[in-house]
């Protein structure tokens, strides 16, 4: 990446972050970009350009960013440097949680609140006076104050408020929600948002230390974070850091690190600032990919094939910009191995879009009498006996046809994108139709139209003539389906899309597949199934067990009577080569047979001579006269590698 590309990239993400409140990358990824820019000597502005829909406010003093530190050494270095610059041996440091929200400045004249602004580009901010005024507990009048006083602080939204708010919104995290709430043109909207704030700085006061500033702010009626600590050594700073890190989830709001500030305000002017950040303060960031929080409860989820999956319900915590309130516990073995118990303080990790998982348990903080987690002995959804299959870690509910959770999950899968893709039947509707008794098993979907003739669906909230017609239309439009999709829609254990494709390709016609599967107790059929590359014994057993159950067989027959299942056409699969005439010349890396077979399997027709109908000539080493002819005819010539990439990309 050139400097310019890097700058453009940062500007793009700035725009998403500051103006649209919809970041596409995590804070940690953004920090890496910024770090790179700093290394390349690029000056990066703290904010982005101002949103012109708001009035512009010039800050009396720039609102800067903070330098970042990520570990103890960074902190040691920072303190040593400051001591050296000031030529002192002792320092007092005010430690404050770095609340992850949106900073603002608020100006008072003679004790009256007159103006508030966002940080903006650092020099100018956006006018959010009316919006700040709507925040509860934000003082509009300060008694006994003369002249100009400026208060700076952080507006934020609590984690629980965020989750509630997001039931009808789509904010990435509480900070974006806070920014989105505050930067509203209509302050009435802001007024309905659960915004809170902490004040942490005061310009124009007489105070001599940050400690005095915070006390004064409190005295004036501002909300000030009660978590703060005046440290006299690096050890004490780190103690505070660890203390907050460990109890972060109990705060109820996002904290992404600790800000250390020189307590003595005289030192602020002595040390000064760069144009990005003050030299008298530093932010000690919490690690981005991990978070420590409380595991409130272990929930057991029943999947569509009956597998019981434990899920950790967590006290919500921000991990790298995303609020995490659940983590996967994989299976019972995992809980046993890590000795995870309800009420534990745990470290959760998140990487990319993967479901967060639990890295470790903080056993020191566990109460001595905390009981071990006992896995339920019956299905928590339906009370059926649970079974553990030999050689598998999974534990399953045995109530295949009676377990509501399993049935509903199967229905949801059947209509999902990867199966029948029926628009208008999302999870919510499936649950609804199940509960009112209209769809209780898969074939019911296709008899819905019949049933609705004698059922007043319009009596239910949310259903009108049009929405019913739309739903029936979309069901009817999905009655034709390819065999592989059909097979994978059935929720047979171990048969997902990939395996379903293998089966469809082998058996081609539905009737053929069904007949063969009905006879899996016979050696021949079973070994035919096992002979398919990619089908193992577990899968074969699972299919056998599915077809040996009369309820499944009836369901299948019923279902099929409504459908048109398309056979697999093994010859005409679409690829970049399908339908194309291809000729080889010269010595190829593969044998000629191998190359021809590959091409045919991709749907191409292989010819031995070049004519005007030829689409591609693939050339190897020392090509012969065919090459010359192809050039003359203007036929597309591919080197062998190119042909391979065509194949790979199709
Ligand atoms: P950053 O923009 O991440 O480099 O960090 C600077 C920002 O941290 C400031 O603009 C504030 O919005 C925010 N911040 C949160 N809590 C505090 C605090 N206690 N003291 C100073 N800045 C804080
Ligand atoms: Zn069950």
């Amino acid at each position: 990446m050139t400097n310019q590309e890097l700058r453009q990239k940062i500007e793009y993400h700035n725009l998403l972050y500051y103006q649209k409140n919809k970041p596409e990358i995590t804070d940690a990824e953004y920090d890496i970009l910024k770090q790179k820019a700093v290394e390349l000597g690029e000056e990066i502005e703290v904010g982005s350009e101002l949103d012109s829909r708001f009035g512009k406010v010039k800050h009396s003093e720039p609102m800067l960013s903070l330098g970042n530190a990520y570990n103890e050494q960074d902190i040691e270095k920072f303190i040593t440097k400051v001591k050296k610059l000031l030529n002192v041996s002792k320092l007092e440091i005010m430690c404050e949680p770095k609340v992850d929200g949106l900073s603002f400045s608020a100006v008072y004249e003679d004790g009256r609140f007159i103006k508030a602004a966002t940080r903006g580009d650092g020099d100018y901010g956006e006018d959010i006076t009316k919006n700040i005024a709507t925040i509860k507990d934000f003082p509009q009048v300060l008694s006994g104050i003369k002249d100009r006083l400026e208060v700076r602080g952080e507006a934020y939204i609590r984690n629980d408020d965020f989750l509630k708010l997001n039931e009808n919104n789509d904010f990435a995290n509480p900070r974006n929600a806070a920014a989105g709430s505050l930067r509203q043109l209509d302050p009435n909207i802001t007024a309905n948002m659960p915004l809170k704030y902490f004040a942490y700085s005061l310009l124009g006061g007489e105070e001599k230390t940050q400690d005095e500033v915070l006390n004064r702010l409190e005295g004036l009626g501002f909300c000030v974070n009660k978590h703060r600590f005046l440290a006299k050594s690096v050890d004490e700073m780190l103690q505070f850091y660890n203390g907050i890190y460990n109890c972060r989830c109990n705060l109820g709001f996002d904290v992404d690190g600790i800000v250390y500030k020189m307590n003595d305000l005289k030192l602020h002017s002595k040390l000064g600032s760069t144009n990005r950040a003050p030299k008298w303060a530093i932010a000690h960031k919490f690690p981005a990919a991990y978070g420590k929080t409380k595991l409130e409860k272990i929930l057991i989820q029943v999947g569509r094939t009956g597998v019981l999956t434990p899920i950790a319900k967590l006290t919500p915590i921000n991990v790298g910009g995303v609020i995490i309130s659940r983590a996967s516990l994989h299976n019972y073995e995992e809980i046993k191995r890590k000795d995870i118990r309800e009420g534990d303080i745990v470290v959760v990790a998140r990487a990319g879009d993967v479901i967060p998982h639990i890295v470790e348990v903080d056993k020191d903080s566990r109460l001595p009498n905390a009981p071990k987690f006992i896995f339920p002995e019956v299905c928590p959804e339906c009370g059926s006996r649970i079974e553990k299959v030999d050689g598998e870690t999974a534990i399953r509910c045995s109530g295949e046809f009676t377990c509501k959770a399993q049935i509903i999950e199967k229905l949801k899968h059947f209509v999902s994108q990867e199966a029948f893709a029926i628009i208008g039947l999302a999870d919510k509707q499936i649950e609804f139709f199940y509960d009112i008794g209209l769809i209780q098993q898969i074939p019911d979907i296709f008899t819905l139209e019949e049933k609705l003739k004698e059922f007043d669906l319009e009596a239910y909230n949310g259903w009108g003539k049009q929405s019913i017609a739309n739903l029936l239309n979309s069901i009817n439009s999905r009655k034709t389906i390819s065999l592989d999709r059909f097979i994978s829609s059935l929720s047979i254990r171990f048969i997902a899309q990939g395996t379903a494709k293998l089966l469809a390709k082998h058996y081609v016609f539905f009737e053929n597949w069904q007949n063969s599967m009905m006879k899996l107790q016979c050696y021949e059929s079973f070994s035919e199934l096992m002979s398919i590359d990619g089908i193992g014994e577990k899968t074969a057993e699972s299919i056998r067990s599915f077809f040996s159950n009369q309820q499944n067989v009836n369901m299948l027959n019923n279902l099929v009577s409504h459908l048109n299942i398309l056979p697999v056409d093994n010859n005409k699969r679409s690829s970049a080569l399908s339908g194309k005439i291809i000729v080889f010349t010269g010595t190829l890396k593969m044998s000629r047979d191998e190359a021809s077979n590959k091409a045919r399997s991709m749907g191409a027709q292989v010819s031995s001579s070049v004519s005007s109908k030829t689409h591609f000539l693939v050339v190897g080493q020392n090509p012969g006269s065919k090459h010359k002819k192809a050039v003359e005819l203007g036929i597309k010539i591919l080197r062998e590698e190119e042909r391979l990439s065509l194949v790979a990309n199709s």
Side-chain angles (χ1 to χ4, degrees):
M1 216 181 329
T2 64
N3 284 22
Q4 200 202 348
E5 280 166 349
L6 182 61
R7 169 171 276 277
Q8 275 170 358
K9 200 162 175 181
I10 291 175
E11 276 165 9
Y12 169 73
H13 290 297
N14 275 342
L15 180 79
L16 291 175
Y17 181 105
Y18 289 106
Q19 295 202 13
K20 305 226 156 90
N21 300 316
K22 270 205 180 297
E24 285 172 0
I25 56 176
T26 63
D27 288 7
E29 286 163 333
Y30 179 77
D31 279 350
I32 291 170
L33 287 179
K34 260 192 359 191
Q35 191 65 37
K36 261 194 205 145
V38 171
E39 279 162 19
L40 290 169
E42 283 272 313
E43 278 291 338
I44 299 295
E45 285 168 14
V46 288
S48 74
E49 274 167 41
L50 302 170
D51 188 333
S52 59
R53 296 173 307 151
F54 294 92
K56 211 166 155 180
V57 179
K58 179 156 174 61
H59 297 308
S60 62
E61 275 177 35
M63 288 183 81
L64 300 174
S65 183
L66 287 166
N68 286 335
Y70 297 96
N71 50 43
E72 293 185 26
Q73 289 89 307
D74 293 349
I75 302 303
E76 285 281 4
K77 248 199 257 164
F78 170 71
I79 293 297
T80 310
K81 192 169 139 196
V82 170
K83 281 183 179 165
K84 210 166 150 200
L85 278 170
L86 296 170
N87 196 17
V88 295
S89 61
K90 286 204 170 81
L91 286 172
E92 273 192 339
I93 309 288
M94 178 55 78
C95 311
E96 300 169 25
K98 186 170 186 295
V99 178
D100 201 7
L102 186 77
S103 55
F104 66 88
S105 92
V107 177
Y108 291 79
E109 289 286 3
D110 295 329
R112 273 185 38 245
F113 170 58
I114 57 157
K115 191 136 256 125
T118 62
R119 182 163 81 178
D121 65 10
D123 293 322
Y124 290 89
E126 296 143 326
D127 190 336
I128 49 164
T129 310
K130 293 207 173 93
N131 311 58
I132 286 286
T134 68
I135 300 183
K136 219 173 119 242
D137 300 330
F138 190 84
Q140 311 274 329
V141 181
L142 307 175
S143 55
I145 298 287
K146 281 266 148 283
D147 299 333
R148 187 179 197 284
L149 200 67
E150 183 175 337
V151 174
R152 289 182 176 181
E154 193 84 358
Y156 68 94
I157 285 180
R158 290 176 55 89
N159 292 341
D160 46 0
D161 286 334
F162 165 75
L163 292 174
K164 239 185 274 152
L165 186 65
N166 242 16
E167 284 170 11
N168 300 311
N169 287 279
D170 176 32
F171 293 115
N173 53 44
R175 184 195 47 224
N176 291 113
S181 305
L182 208 48
R183 296 168 75 252
Q184 287 288 343
L185 291 177
D186 178 0
N188 291 319
I189 298 180
T190 310
N192 287 319
M193 297 293 194
L195 276 169
K196 301 227 160 23
Y197 77 96
F198 284 124
Y200 51 71
S201 116
L202 188 57
L203 311 180
E206 314 259 272
E207 289 68 27
K208 294 197 166 55
T209 63
Q210 174 66 5
D211 195 22
E212 286 172 25
V213 164
L214 295 173
N215 291 333
R216 177 84 191 288
L217 285 168
E218 234 163 22
L220 287 170
F222 289 97
C223 301
V224 177
N225 200 333
K226 67 179 195 310
H227 296 279
R228 53 189 194 245
F229 181 73
L230 197 55
K232 299 201 163 60
S233 66
V234 170
D235 275 352
E236 285 185 0
M237 291 159 72
L238 297 175
Q239 245 171 44
F240 182 75
Y241 172 94
N242 285 322
I244 295 291
Y245 181 61
N246 286 330
C247 78
R248 187 150 71 116
C249 65
N250 299 329
L251 298 176
F253 49 83
D254 266 4
V255 169
D256 63 340
I258 301 295
V259 188
Y260 303 124
K261 301 172 180 172
M262 298 300 139
N263 189 42
D264 185 346
L265 300 186
K266 267 204 316 284
L267 301 182
H268 294 196
S269 42
K270 254 195 187 160
L271 289 164
S273 307
T274 68
N275 50 9
R276 294 191 326 121
K279 292 184 189 166
W280 46 265
I282 197 161
H284 189 178
K285 292 285 196 94
F286 292 145
Y290 298 96
K292 217 167 182 182
T293 191
K294 184 169 166 180
L295 187 159
E296 292 177 355
K297 205 166 170 34
I298 296 177
L299 309 170
I300 307 288
Q301 233 171 37
V302 182
R304 63 190 164 102
T305 61
V307 175
L308 305 190
T309 309
I311 306 277
K313 178 173 183 291
L314 307 169
T315 303
I317 186 153
N318 188 325
V319 181
V322 175
I323 292 282
I324 304 296
S325 57
R326 280 171 181 239
S328 158
L329 291 170
H330 306 293
N331 52 49
Y332 182 42
E333 293 304 318
E334 172 102 348
I335 298 181
K336 261 207 311 216
R337 193 165 54 79
K338 292 187 177 161
D339 186 18
I340 297 171
R341 305 184 191 187
E342 291 181 331
D344 275 349
I345 298 296
V346 295
V347 176
V348 283
R350 186 181 74 90
D353 286 335
V354 199
I355 304 165
H357 65 279
I358 288 177
V359 188
E360 66 179 4
V361 175
D362 182 356
K363 297 210 170 113
D364 297 335
S365 68
R366 175 184 286 167
L367 295 175
N369 55 357
K372 269 196 183 300
F373 179 70
I374 299 170
F375 210 83
E377 305 206 329
V378 294
C379 170
E381 295 279 349
C382 72
S384 296
R385 182 177 48 80
I386 62 170
E387 50 191 23
K388 191 165 172 2
V389 184
D390 278 346
E392 279 177 39
T393 43
I395 293 177
R396 303 206 304 147
C397 159
S398 62
E400 198 179 345
F401 302 98
T402 50
C403 180
K404 176 179 167 186
Q406 276 193 63
I407 296 170
I408 287 202
E409 289 308 311
K410 280 197 178 81
L411 285 167
K412 286 179 183 172
H413 171 72
F414 185 85
V415 299
S416 72
Q417 272 310 313
E418 60 176 283
F420 272 69
I422 298 177
I423 301 163
L425 278 182
D427 290 0
K428 230 168 82 187
Q429 286 81 13
I430 287 289
E431 279 161 27
F432 167 75
F433 282 120
Y434 184 89
D435 287 336
I436 62 170
L438 286 185
I439 300 181
Q440 301 234 309
Q441 54 158 336
I442 293 171
D444 293 345
I445 294 170
F446 298 99
T447 55
L448 188 63
E449 187 159 14
E450 271 312 299
K451 288 197 196 118
L452 285 184
K453 287 180 182 153
E454 283 152 34
F455 189 96
D456 186 14
L457 187 56
E458 283 177 56
Y460 288 83
N461 219 343
W463 291 100
K465 277 202 171 44
Q466 193 57 47
S467 55
I468 295 172
N470 290 346
L471 175 62
L472 295 176
N473 263 338
S474 88
I475 292 174
N476 287 330
S477 71
R478 290 290 172 190
K479 286 185 170 172
T480 298
I481 192 157
S482 63
L483 178 58
D484 58 319
R485 262 184 185 246
F486 177 77
I487 295 175
S488 76
S489 75
L490 297 172
S491 293
I492 303 173
R493 272 191 98 203
F494 306 122
I495 316 268
Q497 275 169 314
T499 316
K501 278 210 170 96
L502 299 177
L503 294 169
K505 206 177 139 191
H506 182 85
Y507 293 98
V508 184
F509 294 97
F510 170 74
E511 295 72 17
N512 191 19
W513 178 64
Q514 187 186 32
N515 289 338
S516 207
M517 298 304 102
M518 294 294 291
K519 289 187 298 201
L520 283 181
Q521 63 282 13
C522 308
Y523 173 77
E524 266 158 56
S525 298
F526 197 80
S527 57
E528 180 185 351
L529 177 59
M530 289 284 289
S531 75
I532 302 172
D533 208 9
I535 304 285
E537 189 158 351
K538 253 178 21 183
T539 312
E541 274 303 339
S542 160
I543 302 176
R544 172 153 69 185
S545 120
F546 180 90
F547 278 88
S548 64
N549 185 298
Q550 196 53 41
Q551 263 173 286
N552 284 331
V553 173
N554 294 346
M555 186 278 288
L556 205 58
N557 287 332
N558 183 352
L559 176 61
V560 168
S561 70
H562 301 284
L563 302 174
N564 172 24
I565 302 173
L566 300 177
V568 172
D569 189 340
N570 278 317
N571 298 317
K572 227 177 42 203
R573 280 176 307 130
S574 84
S575 76
L577 292 181
S578 61
K580 299 284 191 291
I581 299 174
I582 186 166
V583 178
F584 294 99
T585 181
T587 316
L588 304 172
K589 292 195 187 87
M590 299 182 197
S591 78
R592 195 59 79 82
D593 272 352
E594 209 182 334
S596 302
N597 281 337
K598 268 245 160 72
R600 283 197 196 96
S601 77
M602 302 305 299
Q605 192 180 327
V606 178
S607 166
S608 57
S609 64
V610 173
S611 77
S612 59
K613 292 208 185 93
T614 308
H615 291 100
F616 299 117
L617 179 75
V618 178
V619 295
Q621 294 287 319
N622 307 319
S625 61
K626 287 185 215 165
H627 184 225
K628 207 170 143 230
K629 185 158 181 204
V631 173
E632 280 165 15
L633 290 171
I635 283 159
K636 188 153 176 58
I637 293 174
L638 300 175
R639 283 176 290 113
E640 189 179 4
E641 303 79 51
E642 285 174 320
R643 189 195 72 95
L644 287 176
S645 76
L646 253 186
V647 170
N649 290 331
S650 62

